[in-house]
Structures are given as structure tokens and as C-alpha cells.
Amino acid sequence: MCRTAQGQSELRSTEVSPAGTIRLPDAIFGRPYAVALPLVSVVGSVKCEIKDGRLPVGLTFRGHWIEGTPNRTGEFMFEVLATDDLKQQTQGRFVLQVVMPPAKLSPTSSV
């Protein structure tokens, strides 16, 4: 589930690569982003921490959500360790692409 810039929620699919890495929906540079990590077998609240790699600058964890406004483009790979209220742990590998916003087309003048 992702939240749009207007605060509305929309479902977005994630892709699993052959190596088992989950590709999260793309983030757009300079625009608010929020995505819930697809975690299974967790009970209650979840605390996530990066075990390897890093999140894009401007994004942080809130529970199992990645939120914020990315201010650097690129592809970011990271491994997350999630711990739930029963101290059960699960981990996963993720990749998140931060892209530039689409170019705005300016009207052309006819001669």
C-alpha cells in the first residue's frame, strides 16, 4: 500500500526478482513517499532495522513503513530485519528506485 501525495492510499504490487529480492514501488525525487514492507508471520507492531545496505537519503522507517521525501536518485538495495511484539524475527532483501519526476511539457508556439 502506498500513499499518494494527496494522502490517499492505493495498492501497488511488488515484484520478486529471481534472487528473492523484493522490488518496491518507485519513489519520485522530492515527493512524499510511503510504502509498507510486505512482511509475513508478524504479530502486533513491528520494528525494522537495516542489516545491510541503506535507505535513500530522506526516507526512514516508522514500524514496517518506509516514509519520507527522497532527495537523491538511484537504486538502493537493503536487507531488513523485522522484529514483532513476540520477538519473532523475519528478514528480507529489498530494492527501491528513486527516479526524477516526469518532465513537464511546455506548450509550443506555432509560427
Side-chain angles (χ1 to χ4, degrees), residues 20-65:
T21 299
I22 298 171
R23 179 169 289 281
L24 298 172
D26 288 351
I28 298 176
F29 175 86
R31 294 192 184 162
Y33 180 81
V35 65
L37 295 180
L39 301 173
V40 294
S41 303
V42 293
V43 177
S45 64
V46 177
K47 178 185 177 194
C48 291
E49 61 182 288
I50 299 283
K51 296 308 286 179
D52 187 35
R54 63 188 172 96
L55 287 175
V57 174
L59 298 181
T60 59
F61 280 114
R62 187 175 62 85
H64 69 288
W65 284 82

Side-chain angles (χ1 to χ4, degrees), residues 66-107:
I66 296 174
E67 297 181 326
T69 303
N71 57 22
R72 182 167 293 155
T73 60
E75 184 172 84
F76 299 85
M77 291 185 255
F78 50 94
E79 188 168 338
V80 173
L81 177 65
T83 306
D84 69 12
D85 287 341
L86 298 178
K87 304 296 182 211
Q88 298 177 114
Q89 294 184 325
T90 187
Q91 60 187 65
R93 289 180 301 199
F94 300 90
V95 62
L96 172 60
Q97 182 81 28
V98 179
V99 298
M100 291 301 292
K104 292 183 181 179
L105 298 176
S106 59

